[in-house]
């Protein structure tokens, strides 16, 4: 199953980009053996989609019938890392072609994105900078793959 992160904003060079790429690459390498790869990032340029409505429209362009759509949202449900890993494995085992994670911009998602999503996922009730959410999501994907492969990264 492909894992795609569609996110508003363009990450330049810097620590957030470096950390995101580190976890993305680790997760992809470990996930190949359990059919959780490739992991790609699709960025929505804020200069071309300035309003929240335009950003949401661009994110929704990435959705299709074979994808499970997960919108990262402060109102979303929180879960444990093992539960997140189980969700990824369940979607894969159900034959879903893709898990599509949507990360909004500074103003979050339009209602249309939340309505289209199969899952609203939150990293707690705090609001996080959207560039850090990328890093946190990539790390949790890597952690999930580690859990599913009985790797040493996740310690319970």
């Amino acid at each position: 199953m492909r894992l795609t992160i569609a996110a508003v904003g363009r990450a330049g060079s810097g620590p957030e980009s470096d950390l995101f790429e580190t976890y993305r690459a680790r997760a992809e390498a470990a996930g190949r053996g359990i059919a959780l790869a490739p992991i790609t990032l699709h960025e929505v340029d804020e200069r071309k989609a300035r309003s929240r409505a335009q950003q949401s429209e661009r994110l929704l362009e990435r959705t299709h019938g074979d994808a499970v759509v997960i919108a990262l949202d402060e109102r979303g449900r929180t879960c444990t890392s093992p539960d997140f890993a189980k969700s990824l494995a369940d979607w894969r085992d159900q034959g879903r072609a893709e898990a599509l994670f949507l990360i909004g911009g500074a103003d979050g998602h339009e209602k249309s994105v939340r309505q289209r999503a199969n899952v609203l996922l939150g990293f707690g009730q705090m609001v996080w900078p959207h560039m850090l959410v990328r890093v946190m999501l990539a790390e949790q994907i890597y952690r999930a793959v580690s859990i599913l492969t009985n790797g040493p990264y996740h310690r319970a």
Side-chain angles (χ1 to χ4, degrees):
M1 176 175 73
R2 294 183 316 273
L3 304 177
T4 303
I5 300 168
V8 173
R10 298 199 51 88
S13 60
E16 295 94 347
S17 293
D18 294 345
L19 199 51
F20 170 82
E21 182 53 32
T22 296
Y23 284 118
R24 189 212 60 77
R26 287 179 186 176
E28 184 172 88
R32 280 190 193 109
I34 58 169
L36 289 176
I39 302 169
T40 57
L41 173 66
H42 173 78
E43 294 180 312
V44 173
D45 191 342
E46 291 170 301
R47 294 171 297 180
K48 295 179 181 175
R50 294 188 186 273
S51 73
R52 186 171 69 166
Q54 291 172 325
Q55 293 167 2
S56 293
E57 184 179 312
R58 291 280 175 88
L59 290 173
L60 289 174
E61 288 173 358
R62 304 293 302 172
T63 65
H64 55 85
D66 291 345
V68 59
V69 178
I70 306 100
L72 282 286
D73 191 275
E74 68 191 54
R75 293 164 284 242
R77 72 174 176 87
T78 59
C79 64
T80 66
S81 296
D83 287 341
F84 180 66
K86 183 180 182 322
S87 292
L88 287 176
D90 288 348
W91 297 326
R92 177 202 60 203
D93 296 346
Q94 292 165 6
R96 301 306 284 261
E98 179 179 26
L100 174 61
F101 297 91
L102 304 179
I103 300 173
D107 296 320
H109 292 299
E110 285 279 301
K111 185 178 180 181
S112 59
V113 172
R114 292 191 303 275
Q115 289 175 330
R116 170 59 183 93
N118 301 102
V119 175
L120 291 179
L121 180 64
F123 288 147
Q125 293 180 338
M126 292 181 170
V127 176
W128 297 96
H130 58 283
M131 291 298 172
L132 283 183
V133 171
R134 293 180 190 200
V135 174
M136 293 163 61
L137 177 58
E139 190 279 337
Q140 283 300 302
I141 291 170
Y142 175 55
R143 185 174 297 276
V145 168
S146 179
I147 290 167
L148 294 171
T149 59
N150 295 314
Y153 183 69
H154 179 74
R155 294 175 185 89

